[in-house]
Each structure stands twice: as C-alpha cells, then as structure tokens.
C-alpha cells in the first residue's frame, strides 16, 4: 500500500487545532474593501471553524491531520 498524499492546496488553506477541529480563514478580504465596514473587515480577519457538512471531505484531503 503506497503512502497517502496530502492535497497541498487544502494544506495551505486549512489548519488543524490541537483538538482536531479544522480552521479556515474567511473569504471577502482581498479586494473591494471600500464598501465594507471597518467592523466587518475586522471580524473577517479571524479564523473560523469549517462547517460540519464539509469536515468529512476535508479530512480525506488531509489524511495526516489529527
């Protein structure tokens, strides 16, 4: 059985916490920032947990994460 490969695109976008949760950065932070409020932009800086419906697929892309 060959080694499983990590999907590098997913590895760059998702991080695993110590307890095994997957975290991602928010979208909508790269351009067209004039119309977004300061509060909205500040809240988008924080990482958020990946939705439960996507976790199973993400774990398959990242076989060596917790």
């Amino acid at each position: 059985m060959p080694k499983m490969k990590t999907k590098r695109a997913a590895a760059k976008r998702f991080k695993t916490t110590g307890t095994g949760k997957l975290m991602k950065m928010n979208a909508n932070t790269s351009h067209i920032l004039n119309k977004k409020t300061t509060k909205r932009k500040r809240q988008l800086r924080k990482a958020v947990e990946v939705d439960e419906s996507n976790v199973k697929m993400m774990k398959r892309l990242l076989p060596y994460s917790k």
Side-chain angles (χ1 to χ4, degrees), residues 4-14 57-58 60-63:
M4 291 189 294
K5 286 192 175 181
T6 298
K7 295 290 182 276
R8 297 312 295 163
K12 290 169 189 174
R13 288 167 174 82
F14 303 99
M57 182 175 57
M58 292 301 136
R60 198 174 296 145
L61 298 176
L62 302 165

Side-chain angles (χ1 to χ4, degrees), residues 25-33 36 40-46:
M25 291 307 291
N26 279 304
N28 305 315
T29 56
S30 57
H31 61 95
I32 314 176
L33 297 172
K36 293 172 189 151
R40 183 174 164 198
K41 289 185 280 192
R42 185 170 60 245
Q43 289 173 338
L44 288 171
R45 277 187 223 138
K46 298 173 186 167

Side-chain angles (χ1 to χ4, degrees), residues 10-24:
K12 290 169 189 174
R13 288 167 174 82
F14 303 99
K15 301 289 175 228
T16 311
T17 63
T19 56
K21 293 179 192 170
L22 285 171
M23 302 296 283
K24 69 177 183 76

